[in-house]
Amino acid sequence: MKWLKYISVFFAVLLSAQVFAAEDEPVAGEASGEPQLDIQGIIFGHIGDAYQWHITRIGDKELTIPLPVIVRSKDSGWHCFMSSKLENGPYKGFYFAEGGKYDGKIVEKDAEGNEVRPFDISITKNVLGLMINSAILVALILCCSRWYRRHDALKEAPSGVAALLEPVIEMIDEDVIRGSVPESQYARFAPYLLTVFFFILINNLMGIIPIFPGGANITGNIAVTLVLAVCTFLAVNLFADRHYWKDKFWPDVPWWLKVPVPLIPFTEVFGIFTKPFALMIRLFANIMAGHAVILSFVCVIFITAKLGPMLNGTMSVVAVFFGIFMDFLEILVAFIQAYVFTMLSAVFIGLAHEKHETE
């Protein structure tokens, strides 16, 4: 089957790019005069943030995209320059910290000689990746909208981007949103829930691609998942009806569970915060772990390089097969995590209006 052949070629190319990305990472330490592979540096260098976007290495030269640094010093005010200015040492008093609690971050020294962090709103790798992925999402939605403006959907089937997005939108709309959110609240929350789903899905998929403009670990960054969880928290609690808050502070349970010790009310109020916290951790942990596992399999090829051609060849084949399997699995996880986050958000929103709709 041709489609199976194309998929196999795609994943072979994807894994090859991951291998080259791992091979291009810097080494650390020496043993017997030979450089050692820095496994920790490779994994955390990929899933972490950076002030430049590493592309590859050509010989001894690192090919990177420098990104804008925007910082405000308490002493000298605002500064804006490219991160390449810091590659050869301090620039205007700023430099990259090595070790300590500010490792890898831009710091400066105060009057007493201590390292301090300036106010930093730099365009880092994750920020640029977030901008690129958001632009891709907006472009896809506008292309889909353009088709529907120019064609009668009742007379002809969608084509192009519209054909790709329509079944996904219908699935989320019918199975997730309408199945969880009351009809009276559908128009209010459907745009938010669809946006959340596609935003997470696009960022998850782009994170699997190891070469620019992919490879940024957006949804594996807890700051991003925190913002998404806070948005759901606000959507649930700011627009909840009075029955929702009545159930939180005075639920329909025996009185001795409410006074003198408010056991059930305390549990209900505590649950207001644990639900978005669970959303944040679930998305962050699953995406970050998937990236780490794929890179770990790729690193097996280089770890066994010194153990002889027989062992290295065997382990390389095993690593390639497991790497391809993990790539398939990560695509599935990318969709599942976007689906689960949207579904739980819709359920939480629906529960905040359930009694009102029942009455």
Side-chain angles (χ1 to χ4, degrees):
M1 293 181 289
K2 288 186 177 181
W3 64 270
L4 184 59
K5 179 177 69 173
Y6 295 147
I7 290 177
S8 301
V9 170
F10 169 75
F11 279 104
V13 172
L14 187 63
L15 186 65
S16 299
Q18 290 167 344
V19 170
F20 285 122
E23 189 179 25
D24 288 334
E25 292 291 340
V27 298
E30 291 188 358
S32 303
E34 296 183 1
Q36 301 296 310
L37 189 67
D38 183 11
I39 305 299
Q40 182 178 349
I42 292 174
I43 295 176
F44 285 96
H46 171 76
I47 64 179
D49 204 357
Y51 289 94
Q52 62 278 331
W53 198 309
H54 182 269
I55 305 298
T56 187
R57 178 188 296 176
I58 302 176
D60 295 331
K61 183 176 178 58
E62 298 285 349
L63 181 59
T64 61
I65 299 177
L67 300 175
V69 173
I70 307 172
V71 292
R72 184 183 185 279
S73 171
K74 292 182 179 179
D75 299 326
S76 54
W78 287 98
H79 298 271
C80 182
F81 52 89
M82 301 303 290
S83 60
S84 56
K85 299 286 187 179
L86 301 175
E87 291 180 357
N88 299 321
Y91 179 76
K92 294 185 177 180
F94 301 101
Y95 60 94
F96 292 123
E98 297 181 1
K101 63 179 180 179
Y102 298 137
D103 185 32
K105 302 296 184 180
I106 293 178
V107 297
E108 61 177 342
K109 288 188 176 181
D110 59 13
E112 299 177 354
N114 300 317
E115 286 187 346
V116 294
R117 287 273 287 144
F119 181 69
D120 192 350
I121 55 172
S122 303
I123 307 297
T124 61
K125 177 182 176 180
N126 282 348
V127 174
L128 180 60
L130 188 61
M131 293 178 177
I132 294 173
N133 298 344
S134 299
I136 292 174
L137 175 59
V138 170
L140 290 175
I141 298 302
L142 290 179
C143 288
C144 182
S145 174
R146 180 183 181 187
W147 188 93
Y148 281 99
R149 288 199 307 269
R150 298 186 175 187
H151 301 82
D152 187 351
L154 299 177
K155 296 181 180 179
E156 56 181 309
S159 59
V161 176
L164 176 67
L165 296 183
E166 183 185 47
V168 182
I169 294 174
E170 287 188 352
M171 180 193 67
I172 299 300
D173 182 67
E174 296 294 333
D175 298 343
V176 177
I177 302 176
R178 291 186 183 276
S180 303
V181 179
E183 189 64 31
S184 63
Q185 303 296 322
Y186 169 80
R188 174 182 288 179
F189 294 106
Y192 165 70
L193 293 170
L194 284 169
T195 302
V196 165
F197 173 79
F198 281 104
F199 175 82
I200 295 175
L201 180 62
I202 293 295
N203 281 286
N204 288 351
L205 293 176
M206 290 295 290
I208 301 174
I209 303 173
I211 55 177
F212 183 82
N217 186 34
I218 305 298
T219 43
N221 186 310
I222 198 168
V224 175
T225 60
L226 171 63
V227 172
L228 291 172
V230 168
C231 289
T232 294
F233 173 81
L234 295 177
V236 171
N237 294 284
L238 289 183
F239 301 98
D241 57 27
R242 59 188 178 88
H243 301 278
Y244 170 81
W245 292 110
K246 186 261 181 185
D247 285 342
K248 295 299 180 186
F249 292 101
W250 196 256
D252 295 328
V253 296
W255 65 269
W256 50 271
L257 292 174
K258 297 182 285 188
V259 291
V261 179
L263 179 62
I264 299 302
F266 174 79
T267 303
E268 291 291 335
V269 173
F270 186 69
I272 293 176
F273 301 96
T274 56
K275 289 175 181 177
F277 180 79
L279 288 178
M280 173 187 70
I281 296 298
R282 179 185 289 108
L283 179 59
F284 158 72
N286 279 280
I287 301 303
M288 184 188 68
H291 289 198
V293 169
I294 291 177
L295 286 170
S296 298
F297 280 124
V298 172
C299 289
V300 169
I301 300 172
F302 304 102
I303 293 173
T304 59
K306 298 178 183 179
L307 302 180
M310 181 64 69
L311 183 59
N312 180 239
T314 304
M315 293 305 297
S316 296
V317 172
V318 173
V320 167
F321 277 110
F322 272 103
I324 293 176
F325 169 76
M326 284 302 302
D327 281 328
F328 273 106
L329 187 61
E330 276 298 288
I331 290 180
L332 179 62
V333 169
F335 178 84
I336 290 175
Q337 290 305 314
Y339 183 91
V340 169
F341 192 101
T342 307
M343 179 187 67
L344 292 177
S345 297
V347 169
F348 297 155
I349 291 171
L351 291 174
H353 302 273
E354 184 180 23
K355 277 201 171 182
H356 173 72
E357 293 298 317
T358 303
E359 291 178 0

